Amino acid sequence: MSSATATKPAATTDAEATNGGSGGSPPSPRQVLCPPDGINPALEAMEYAVRGPLVLKAGRYAAALKEAAAGGKPANLPFDSVVLCNIGNPQSVGQAPMTYLRQVLATIACPWLLAQPNIRAELPADVVARAEAFLSSTHGLGAYSESKGLPSVRASVAAYITARDGGEPADSDAVFLTNGASDSVKNILEMLVRGPTDGVMVPMPQYPLYSAALTKMGARRVSYGLLEDDGWGVGVDDLEAAYAAAVADGTTVRALVVINPGNPTGQVLSQAVMEGLVRFCERHTLVLMADEVYQVNVYAEGKTFTSFKKVVRSLGSPVELVSFHSTSKGMIGECGLRGGYMEVVNFHPHAMDVLYKAASVSLCSNIPGQVAMDVMVKPPVEGEPSYALYKQEMDSTYDALRRKAAKLASVLNTLPGISCNPSEGSMYLFPRVVLPPAAVAAAADAGMKPDGLYANELLDATGVCVVPGSGFGQAPGTFHIRTTFLPTEDAMEQMVNRMRDFHLGFMKKYGGETTA
Amino acid sequence: MSSATATKPAATTDAEATNGGSGGSPPSPRQVLCPPDGINPALEAMEYAVRGPLVLKAGRYAAALKEAAAGGKPANLPFDSVVLCNIGNPQSVGQAPMTYLRQVLATIACPWLLAQPNIRAELPADVVARAEAFLSSTHGLGAYSESKGLPSVRASVAAYITARDGGEPADSDAVFLTNGASDSVKNILEMLVRGPTDGVMVPMPQYPLYSAALTKMGARRVSYGLLEDDGWGVGVDDLEAAYAAAVADGTTVRALVVINPGNPTGQVLSQAVMEGLVRFCERHTLVLMADEVYQVNVYAEGKTFTSFKKVVRSLGSPVELVSFHSTSKGMIGECGLRGGYMEVVNFHPHAMDVLYKAASVSLCSNIPGQVAMDVMVKPPVEGEPSYALYKQEMDSTYDALRRKAAKLASVLNTLPGISCNPSEGSMYLFPRVVLPPAAVAAAADAGMKPDGLYANELLDATGVCVVPGSGFGQAPGTFHIRTTFLPTEDAMEQMVNRMRDFHLGFMKKYGGETTA
């Protein structure tokens, strides 16, 4: 919703205004959902770079390569594969699912398997036991659960949180299961935003779900800059300045979003910084929205993840906190199952009731995603038949991520005009690219953003798809790209070479630095 | 979003304002999300009766019965089971999932199954072939798909629609896969509503997703009454009157919602009526939102489902149409998998782009739901190994639904003060209950709606949970309940007896009619 005026859409005679490609009906003399003012302007204004035009182009390249391969002909492209580094989608670039998780999911999905003696005999005993326990205590995958999610899964989540936070208790009634973490984020923002002068503090750079959701709601985004020269750290002074400026502008600031480990920036916050952020929220009566979906993706020596829940509790703080988590990240990377949760802390009972009601309108999150969440937070333990394979799979994925994060950062840092903070955590690097003035001018001529030009030429030349930094926000005059380090190590090797060659060629073409 | 003023929430000293039950931290002197004005008032105003307080109470009764049974003690309740007739959730009340669908889903979920010779040998050959085709052409269940959904599933949906509509072509690019149909509905409403004077025409009674979503967006609901005395039909004159009144009230009407087969009312519209509705939308330049999730749940002799797509095409109409469908209903009842689609017709290309962008922010719908949709619209065919079992399962579910719909309506119609149109389709009956004045007065004393009192006493006395008609909307002075007919035939037999006894007792207690 927005503050737009509600006028009847103008008539259009656009001959293209037919049917979105489905053919067969005559052009409409008038349409409801058409330019210039027929569509909710807040949706028109919304941007989401992670899946923007560059990604559609990458899809077309991939299709062309596939078609050419099928026909035994060359594709007339300067690369032989498309490498999607635009999105944290591990299983799309070769990561295998966790075997135990999928065995449990399959057995729950199809109780018929358990009834076939020859199949049952092949399944690990702990898989059979877990599936049977689930099936006997629920209505299975095919029934709506209660709106907040299955009680048993919420109990598993609460136990996980308690253990993670060193015994600090969690309440399963304060856990809501949602389709990925995205739905949780949207649910909270929808509660917070009461009108067009309400605002939410969001880091810059940020994950664009936040900006997109706020734009859609017609609310204000209050950006606070992360400190690139300080490893993408957060400075409370900067927060205070951003807050004060927003208030001076008539904004009622309602919440602070912190992404830790960072997306797109990969930093892992220290407990001291986190305490400062909690105190900041206390001082200004803000809800603390803690995006902690990368909580187990921490690679840097000496860095550990601390939850905001633990910090809030250790300070005895009354701050209203929401922590988001997901099955899409971590070492399991189950993006397609769309499992997610939020834990709310220090919420008013009435706010809990409103959250419940909002969840009810969507009936429930998908049950396979709930099952995936259950397994993620309650994996096999030592002594169980599936433990050894589980541990091996998790460890090898983790070790590979750590190696790939380090490798990509170190190669990028050898290139002239590129500087890259290490990825302490998450699945991304956000290198800064010093673009030559000629490239900035060429981008302006082409109606593109400079980092958009860079990412576009990178895709055209190498098949590597990254996201321009402008899709996340960046300090004025600086340019970045966000890249995952998720492709397999072989693919990464090749990709890194392609990126190096491209970058050197790009700098030469536009007269930039060619030596580091 | 709403038109609410954006004031800072008042401080609260409410001692209960702690942490939603998770214990351990001191009460907050101030909270953000708290009464009286800390929460988005549009969310506060939103109602969703299908999962309201009555359902929570039913859950408590069920838990008490379970606990008592576990302890070997009586529960001190006047019934021995809770029967949930509040929601179309077939597998929660005993319907088994379709075997083939679950075999396919399990095999896709766990490719390990295919690699075990002893398991593979037990799986039907068509299941193995389908799973292998899916796995080789996609990244499996664990990767985000493209935002609109997997191309192969959208192609299956388009082929289904084409066959359903007698060859009228459908375009897979005009199909969007979503988490249930609910997300599709919300996506379209969010495009339509530009500000607080935009409105959408919704039937009365209606499925409360529509009212809830419009309330949340701060938009206007323009109700048009269904004609109870005419089998819940739609009269174009009534539509015109409702439209004219809305326009006179300053509302910009943007769309017409039609639910066919009806929810909660069960009527199946004739092609002639549908043509009148399409012409109405043409006349007033409205988007036609066709909620067709019960399209295969048609039971009445001589009635068949006709899609609005077919009517729009047969008229050569330029009306912008969206048709919603779901895996949750039909004969498969896969509610928990949250599969859904919308097909858009006659949409402006720019509107398609905005829909794509909105879908992108949510990344994609869950993949198990997409797989379920694929199987639903492309089931086994004659000659395939799984066909016989598939057909038997679908037929027996269908036949049972038809018998149960007829039986429940006929019993209800024997009761004094109850009249019930037959369920020509869908999963519901919406009987009218003539409540005695003393009951209406007792409800007022208790601060309840009269039909809420009836439903509440029904639950307390029998364990049968239905939804008061006021949750769907009803003509002033009339009272209804919505009940599913989904419980097993044995459970229905018992439930019908309990309802009869309760009703006669209720009428006696409040001095109403006690003979039909």
Side-chain angles (χ1 to χ4, degrees), chain B residues 137-138 145-146 148-157 172 177 370:
Chain B
S137 64
T138 69
S145 69
E146 68 168 78
K148 291 162 77 165
L150 291 163
S152 60
V153 178
R154 290 188 284 111
S156 297
V157 169
S172 64
L177 303 176
Q370 296 190 29

Side-chain angles (χ1 to χ4, degrees), chain A residues 1-2 4 6-9 14 16-23 25-26 28 30-35 37-40 43-44 46 48 51 56 87-89 91-92 102-103 106 109-110 112 118-119 122-123 139 141-147 171 179 186 190-195 197-198 216-217 252-254 282-287 313 316 318 320 328-329 333-338 346-352 354 356-358 360-364 366-368, chain B residues 1-2 4 6-9 14 16-23 25-26 28 30-35 37-40 43-44 46 48 51 56 87-89 91-92 102-103 106 109-110 112 118-119 122-123 139 141-147 171 179 186 190-195 197-198 209 216-217 252-254 282-287 313 316 318 320 328-329 333-338 346-352 354 356-358 360-364 366-368:
Chain A
M1 269 296 310
S2 77
T7 53
K8 195 75 183 170
D14 182 349
E16 283 190 322
T18 52
N19 53 12
S22 51
S25 63
S28 168
R30 294 184 306 172
Q31 284 184 306
V32 180
L33 292 167
C34 66
D37 57 7
I39 296 174
N40 177 355
L43 271 190
E44 295 272 15
M46 191 174 76
Y48 189 72
R51 289 245 169 146
L56 294 174
I87 189 167
N89 192 9
Q91 295 190 30
S92 75
R102 294 303 191 86
Q103 287 170 334
C110 189
W112 174 90
N118 289 340
I119 296 179
E122 299 275 334
L123 290 166
H139 298 297
L141 285 195
Y144 298 124
S145 68
E146 69 168 75
S147 307
D171 177 358
N179 290 312
K186 285 184 253 182
E190 282 176 350
M191 278 181 79
L192 282 164
V193 174
R194 302 158 304 171
T197 58
D198 274 356
K216 188 163 96 173
M217 287 182 249
T252 305
V253 182
R254 303 272 292 159
E282 281 179 13
R283 220 156 35 243
H284 300 296
T285 313
L286 303 178
V287 172
R313 284 284 167 80
E320 292 154 271
S328 303
K329 312 304 171 188
E334 291 286 10
C335 300
L337 298 182
R338 313 301 283 119
N346 290 338
F347 266 42
H348 191 285
H350 179 67
M352 302 286 284
V354 174
Y356 171 82
K357 185 174 66 174
S360 296
V361 177
S362 297
L363 299 165
C364 68
N366 85 88
I367 312 297
Chain B
M1 270 294 312
S2 76
T7 52
K8 194 75 183 169
D14 182 348
E16 283 189 321
T18 52
N19 54 10
S22 48
S25 63
S28 168
R30 294 183 306 171
Q31 285 185 306
V32 181
L33 291 168
C34 66
D37 57 6
I39 296 175
N40 177 356
L43 272 189
E44 295 272 15
M46 193 174 74
Y48 190 72
R51 290 243 170 148
L56 294 174
I87 189 168
N89 192 8
Q91 295 189 30
S92 75
R102 295 303 190 87
Q103 288 170 332
C110 188
W112 175 91
N118 289 341
I119 296 179
E122 299 276 333
L123 290 165
H139 298 297
L141 283 196
Y144 298 126
S145 69
E146 68 168 78
S147 308
D171 177 358
N179 290 312
K186 285 184 253 182
E190 283 176 349
M191 278 182 79
L192 282 164
V193 174
R194 301 158 306 171
T197 58
D198 274 355
L209 167 65
K216 187 163 95 174
M217 287 181 248
T252 304
V253 182
R254 303 272 293 159
E282 281 180 15
R283 218 155 38 240
H284 299 297
T285 314
L286 303 178
V287 171
R313 284 286 169 80
E320 291 154 273
S328 303
K329 311 304 170 186
E334 290 285 11
C335 300
L337 298 182
R338 311 302 283 123
N346 290 338
F347 265 43
H348 191 285
H350 179 66
M352 301 287 282
V354 174
Y356 171 82
K357 185 174 66 175
S360 296
V361 177
S362 296
L363 298 166
C364 69
N366 85 87
I367 311 295

